[in-house]
Amino acid sequence: MDTAIRINPGQVNAGETDLSSFYQGGGKIISYHGRNDETVTSALSEQFFTGVQSSLNLTIEDIHEFYRLFFLPGMNHCSGGLGAWSIGNVQKYPYDQALLNSKHNALLALVDWVENGTAPETLVGTKYENDLIGGNITAQRTYCPYPTVSKWDGVNDSNLATSWKCMDVSGLC
């Protein structure tokens, strides 16, 4: 571990939760993690988010002014899986031009937030037939910033993003 720390050129360290300089400088973060990640448990992203919130002594409203974490059920490590995992994370040419916008693409959502001050209230994930980006869409799902979760309305087609609503379930457990 000492060697890894010594040769770390960017001084990347996911254990450091004091992002006060970044926060005070107006920085913005959109993070996402697949709930089916077989390599890195999504609990680590939740721990980091709450660690940043605690280190900076922020309310959920305050932290959402600069940091949004989205969990994607059914997404494996970074991409793939049974869920509606495509949020611009594995864009291959030719891009799906119809979904190349800040509602369906996490990077474009970040650009919109930084350049126009429009924070993403949700992201829409897309599942393509055979996971071929730009192919036939088999499902879409609305994803919500943690700690809210996306819940199916129980009535409409569960393959439509409009059938999913953000809910605060923190008091239900």
Side-chain angles (χ1 to χ4, degrees):
M1 189 64 172
D2 292 337
T3 301
I5 292 170
R6 189 177 65 255
I7 63 172
N8 181 0
Q11 299 306 303
V12 175
N13 180 354
E16 179 55 60
T17 58
D18 181 3
L19 302 182
S20 55
S21 294
F22 185 76
Y23 173 60
Q24 292 163 358
K28 307 293 185 202
I29 300 170
I30 293 178
S31 179
Y32 63 89
H33 204 129
R35 285 295 199 185
N36 284 14
D37 190 328
E38 66 282 330
T39 306
V40 180
T41 175
S42 61
L44 292 175
S45 288
E46 183 176 352
Q47 289 172 4
F48 184 75
F49 180 91
T50 57
V52 171
Q53 183 182 11
S54 178
S55 291
L56 276 58
N57 194 29
L58 299 174
T59 66
I60 196 66
E61 292 80 15
D62 291 338
I63 196 167
H64 277 172
E65 291 299 316
F66 90 104
Y67 187 176
R68 306 268 170 123
L69 169 61
F70 294 87
F71 287 114
L72 282 67
M75 184 175 85
N76 297 336
H77 185 72
C78 298
S79 66
L82 298 175
W85 60 265
S86 179
I87 56 170
N89 42 338
V90 186
Q91 288 290 339
K92 297 177 184 171
Y93 186 80
Y95 302 117
D96 187 344
Q97 295 294 327
L99 302 183
L100 200 54
N101 58 59
S102 62
K103 183 177 177 181
H104 297 91
N105 185 295
L107 178 58
L108 294 179
L110 181 61
V111 170
D112 196 28
W113 194 8
V114 170
E115 294 183 358
N116 303 314
T118 306
E121 296 300 322
T122 61
L123 289 174
V124 174
T126 301
K127 178 67 175 177
Y128 293 95
E129 188 175 353
N130 298 318
D131 284 339
L132 297 174
I133 304 294
N136 292 327
I137 294 174
T138 60
Q140 290 188 308
R141 185 167 175 179
T142 298
Y143 296 117
C144 312
Y146 176 83
T148 59
V149 296
S150 180
K151 290 285 189 184
W152 177 48
D153 65 14
V155 176
N156 296 300
D157 185 346
S158 63
N159 290 322
L160 299 175
T162 54
S163 300
W164 296 86
K165 306 296 180 213
C166 297
M167 295 186 65
D168 181 1
V169 295
S170 58
L172 298 178
C173 298

